[in-house]
Amino acid sequence: MADKEQGNQTSLTEFILLGFGNNPRLQILLFLLILVIYIVTMAGNILIVVLVVTDRHLHTPMYFFLGNLSCLETCYTSALLPRMLASLLTGDRTISVGGCITQCYFVGFFAATECYLLAVMSYDRYLAICKPLHYATLMNGSFCLQLAAGSWINGFLAIIIIVSLMLQLTFCGPNEINHFFCESTQIINLYCNDIYQVELVITTMAALFTLPPFALTGTSYVCIISTVLQIPSTTGRRKAFSTCSSHLIMVTIFYGTLIIVYLLPKSNTLRDLNEVFSVFYAVLTPMANPFIYSLRNKEVKEALRKIVSKCVDFIRIQKCYCIF
């Protein structure tokens, strides 16, 4: 009997992502919808990165971190949506164990990094609003690079420990994952081993690497709101709050959906809506990022106007050369 169980443990080579069901009409609709979301997300975030790199007026700490966030969202989306699109198009919902662990790693890496980048951006806004006289001195180029690098490194460390532990365990049946991507809390339920220690490690690591940036973000905004409310003029309060309102929207969407998915008690209703809320933080948040920051930001819109103007001028010059 022991040999038979051991054989079952080693025979599992792939998982099946159940995703959003197996309705052919729904699959076509989802494919078209997710394809549009992917194109818009990639184009919007890449455009933000290009604007931040090319326009010297955006060479400030706030836009430097925004460029990092847009780069992160591009990678985050690429770790999820291409695989989902292929599955919807071909109907093949299988994924190898190695591919599943790899996707789980990158999704966790980018999610943890985003927690730190959002915290760094909130700290930047705190210094700009609450310590304006010391802002230029404190938030210098070297310190910005250290904060950005620290965010990516902490995101890497947060998930590499969890994945290293997951690779040492073996899988039993069933091999079905009730999600549209490989997510750690779904994968650990398929292990043959006692998952109590694994869950404990995942919970501990999640607390160590996500609570500090969440606490820094919350504390920063408490100080920001307190400072803004002390500004005597309505115009001054509106101007000060407008500099961080876009970031506050992103923080609210990102952490709000994470709390619903991972922290609230798993009632039957919330369990059924888990995939829906996962779509918000994993798919819709990266797409909303460029819109929220660009449509509410004069500097970004001005930089976009300049680059569009240059492109139009270039096209006109090329047409003139073609005529002659």
Side-chain angles (χ1 to χ4, degrees):
M1 184 68 180
D3 293 338
K4 183 178 180 181
E5 291 181 356
Q6 183 67 26
N8 288 337
Q9 291 180 13
T10 57
S11 62
L12 190 60
T13 59
E14 63 183 20
F15 297 121
I16 299 176
L17 297 172
L18 299 182
F20 298 103
N22 198 27
N23 187 322
R25 294 183 179 179
L26 180 61
Q27 301 296 308
I28 295 174
L29 179 61
L30 284 174
F31 173 79
L32 295 176
L33 178 61
I34 293 174
L35 179 61
V36 171
I37 290 175
Y38 183 53
I39 294 173
V40 171
T41 301
M42 295 296 289
N45 283 288
I46 291 174
L47 179 61
I48 293 291
V49 174
V50 171
L51 292 177
V52 171
V53 171
T54 58
D55 195 303
R56 61 184 181 85
H57 294 98
L58 301 183
H59 291 175
T60 63
M62 181 176 73
Y63 293 110
F64 171 72
F65 296 130
L66 175 57
N68 271 267
L69 181 63
S70 294
C71 181
L72 172 70
E73 301 289 30
T74 301
C75 298
Y76 198 175
T77 303
S78 297
L80 287 175
L81 297 194
R83 175 64 184 77
M84 195 188 310
L85 287 170
S87 177
L88 291 170
L89 183 63
T90 63
D92 182 10
R93 294 181 293 173
T94 61
I95 183 172
S96 66
V97 172
C100 194
I101 297 294
T102 301
Q103 186 183 62
C104 177
Y105 165 75
F106 281 109
V107 170
F109 170 37
F110 296 135
T113 302
E114 184 161 356
C115 290
Y116 279 91
L117 277 178
L118 291 176
V120 167
M121 294 174 74
S122 66
Y123 179 66
D124 172 71
R125 291 300 84 203
Y126 160 76
L127 291 180
I129 294 174
C130 302
K131 307 287 183 181
L133 298 179
H134 304 284
Y135 178 74
T137 303
L138 294 174
M139 197 60 69
N140 54 60
S142 176
F143 188 51
C144 289
L145 286 173
Q146 292 174 11
L147 289 175
S151 299
W152 289 90
I153 292 172
N154 276 295
F156 170 80
L157 294 176
I159 192 63
I160 195 64
I161 298 174
I162 296 174
V163 171
S164 298
L165 178 62
M166 292 170 64
L167 290 173
Q168 299 176 17
L169 305 177
T170 52
F171 294 99
C172 295
N175 64 340
E176 295 180 342
I177 298 177
N178 189 26
H179 218 298
F180 60 88
F181 69 94
C182 293
E183 196 245 354
S184 59
T185 58
Q186 296 285 334
I187 297 175
I188 61 174
N189 293 323
L190 306 179
Y191 281 119
C192 305
N193 314 69
D194 182 6
I195 65 172
Y196 172 76
Q197 291 184 344
V198 181
E199 290 180 322
L200 181 62
V201 170
I202 291 177
T203 302
T204 303
M205 296 306 300
L208 289 175
F209 283 94
T210 60
L211 288 182
F214 178 73
L216 175 60
T217 302
T219 303
S220 298
Y221 273 105
V222 168
C223 296
I224 289 171
I225 293 173
S226 176
T227 301
V228 170
L229 292 178
Q230 294 176 16
I231 299 175
S233 68
T234 304
T235 304
R237 287 196 298 269
R238 186 182 299 111
K239 183 178 180 180
F241 191 71
S242 66
T243 62
C244 60
S245 58
S246 299
H247 181 254
L248 183 58
I249 293 173
M250 290 297 299
V251 168
T252 303
I253 296 173
F254 182 75
Y255 278 111
T257 51
L258 281 182
I259 289 172
I260 292 174
V261 172
Y262 293 106
L263 296 185
L264 292 185
K266 293 297 183 289
S267 64
N268 291 332
T269 303
L270 285 179
R271 190 178 293 108
D272 293 337
L273 293 175
N274 186 60
E275 289 182 45
V276 178
F277 289 117
S278 296
V279 170
F280 275 91
Y281 81 83
V283 178
L284 297 184
T285 299
M287 183 182 69
N289 173 46
F291 289 99
I292 291 176
Y293 280 105
S294 61
L295 295 179
R296 298 174 57 88
N297 194 296
K298 293 181 180 180
E299 288 85 358
V300 173
K301 287 191 287 187
E302 180 61 23
L304 180 59
R305 188 193 64 79
K306 290 180 180 178
I307 197 170
V308 170
S309 178
K310 290 180 180 179
C311 291
V312 171
D313 291 340
F314 177 78
I315 293 173
R316 287 176 178 173
I317 293 173
Q318 294 301 314
K319 285 184 176 179
C320 290
Y321 281 129
C322 291
I323 292 174
F324 289 105

